[in-house]
Amino acid sequence: MFGEYKTVVLDQKEGIVISTKSSKSVLHKYTKHVLISGLSLQKSIARILGLASFHSISLVHLVFFSLHAYSKKNTDWVGLHFFEDFDMQKNSITFKSIKNQYTLSFDNTNPCIHKRISDSLQHNDILSRITHRYHESISWSCPLNSHKTGSMIFNTDFYKPTDALISCYFKHVIDEIIHDWHYIYICHVAREHDLWFLRDEHGYFYGRAMRNRQNY
């Protein structure tokens, strides 16, 4: 079984789901074709906030946490939104689900796993507050506690909320993302039409495209 199937998913509705694709392949397809902007936005925010131990996908009311980072062929991922607590014993970690319905244990964990979880929850908290501020700005009422279910992702015992960084740095993050999107688009055009000089002209096109009163 394990020679043929490379990924096992424990799903709340579907039960045990197995796949011949590696977990890295599944993650790549999800981040590229499902997640808005891939991981660019998430990684940029993490970098600016100085979250070096950031290893998760943050979706406000959903947080998928990687126990062994992104780069390995097969990795273990946990939906922290299903769990209310975790316990560490030597070289293992056990997650306890909401209302203690079940537990999930992993061996050979990273010694810095506690900081990784904290940074990932901090990252999701920042995204959550940014999202709710945007909702408020367009008169869409969405209280901050609307997604609270008793899971650890909104429990500040597991991380220390940071207020000052949001307004100071988020515009800079968005500017970086827009620049990246322009550059990616130019690279696609260059590759499709064999016009690689377009990459060198990216700065010129980007500056023109950002002008308020003209379209290019």
Side-chain angles (χ1 to χ4, degrees), residues 18 23 39 41-42 49 61 111 119 166 186 191:
I18 55 178
S23 52
L39 288 173
L41 177 61
Q42 307 222 353
L49 295 178
H61 62 292
D119 281 2
I166 299 178
I186 291 296
R191 182 166 52 251

Side-chain angles (χ1 to χ4, degrees), residues 49-80:
L49 295 178
L51 301 178
S53 298
F54 160 74
H55 290 285
S56 68
I57 297 176
S58 302
L59 302 172
V60 181
H61 62 292
L62 303 174
V63 179
F64 295 99
F65 176 74
S66 170
L67 276 75
H68 301 99
Y70 304 101
S71 59
K72 295 185 178 180
K73 183 176 181 181
N74 284 292
T75 60
D76 294 321
W77 288 77
V78 176
L80 296 182

Side-chain angles (χ1 to χ4, degrees), residues 8-127:
V8 178
V9 179
L10 302 180
D11 186 84
Q12 192 175 43
K13 295 181 179 179
E14 302 297 332
I16 299 177
V17 180
I18 55 178
S19 173
T20 56
K21 295 183 179 181
S22 69
S23 52
K24 182 178 180 180
S25 175
V26 173
L27 174 68
H28 175 73
K29 185 175 182 179
Y30 175 75
T31 55
K32 185 175 182 180
H33 300 289
V34 180
L35 191 65
I36 296 176
S37 81
L39 288 173
S40 298
L41 177 61
Q42 307 222 353
K43 287 187 175 181
S44 293
I45 292 175
R47 182 177 67 252
I48 290 175
L49 295 178
L51 301 178
S53 298
F54 160 74
H55 290 285
S56 68
I57 297 176
S58 302
L59 302 172
V60 181
H61 62 292
L62 303 174
V63 179
F64 295 99
F65 176 74
S66 170
L67 276 75
H68 301 99
Y70 304 101
S71 59
K72 295 185 178 180
K73 183 176 181 181
N74 284 292
T75 60
D76 294 321
W77 288 77
V78 176
L80 296 182
H81 45 282
F82 287 127
F83 300 95
E84 64 179 12
D85 199 359
F86 69 94
D87 181 55
M88 298 176 60
Q89 295 291 336
K90 294 183 178 179
N91 200 33
S92 66
I93 185 170
T94 298
F95 293 91
K96 302 176 182 178
S97 70
I98 299 173
K99 298 181 180 179
N100 289 319
Q101 293 179 325
Y102 56 88
T103 60
L104 196 62
S105 297
F106 296 88
D107 294 326
N108 302 316
T109 57
N110 187 288
C112 298
I113 195 72
H114 192 280
K115 176 172 175 51
R116 288 186 175 184
I117 292 176
S118 175
D119 281 2
S120 295
L121 295 179
Q122 172 71 82
H123 181 268
N124 187 68
D125 177 68
I126 294 291
L127 280 178

Side-chain angles (χ1 to χ4, degrees), residues 4 27 58 72 113 143 148 156 162 169 187 191 207 211 216:
E4 181 178 358
L27 174 68
S58 302
K72 295 185 178 180
I113 195 72
K148 293 185 178 180
T156 55
T162 302
Y169 292 107
C187 285
R191 182 166 52 251
R211 289 189 178 181
Y216 289 87

